Amino acid sequence: NQTDSLMAFYAENSQRLFDDRVVLRAGVRHTRGSTSFDSTPNLANQQTGSRPYSATTYTVGGTYRATQTLSFRTGLSTGFRAPTATELAGDYTVLA
């Protein structure tokens, strides 16, 4: 029982160099949204509400073509996973 709202923007650029033997890439993504924990029937003491989140991630990498049949590729990137409503507004009771 959750409601999600999400907006994201992604841009990427690629450059070919040295007669296409080297390819460089870079990209960036900005994500903005909110997750709401909705009212749930038969769930006592729930904490409903909404929480916003935002994150910016990136990726960079390159490819080097050593021969016609052999290429080397490398890359570095970051990642982001939007939280669920349970993670944002979870209410746990621990019994010892």
Side-chain angles (χ1 to χ4, degrees):
N1 292 337
Q2 71 183 48
T3 302
D4 294 303
S5 174
L6 174 71
M7 179 192 75
F9 173 79
Y10 181 75
E12 182 180 62
N13 189 20
S14 174
Q15 294 293 316
R16 296 178 180 269
L17 308 168
F18 307 113
D19 293 329
D20 292 344
R21 290 182 70 89
V22 176
V23 178
L24 301 176
R25 296 181 183 275
V28 65
R29 176 186 169 116
H30 181 72
T31 304
R32 183 174 283 223
S34 71
T35 299
S36 300
F37 187 56
D38 299 333
S39 179
T40 305
N42 303 317
L43 179 61
N45 301 324
Q46 65 180 328
Q47 298 174 6
T48 60
S50 180
R51 298 223 183 131
Y53 58 87
S54 69
T56 301
T57 58
Y58 65 87
T59 181
V60 294
T63 304
Y64 173 70
R65 190 182 68 208
T67 67
Q68 288 293 334
T69 58
L70 179 64
S71 294
F72 297 97
R73 177 176 276 181
T74 184
L76 174 71
S77 62
T78 59
F80 169 74
R81 181 184 66 84
T84 65
T86 305
E87 292 169 340
L88 291 175
D91 185 21
Y92 302 97
T93 303
V94 179
L95 302 174

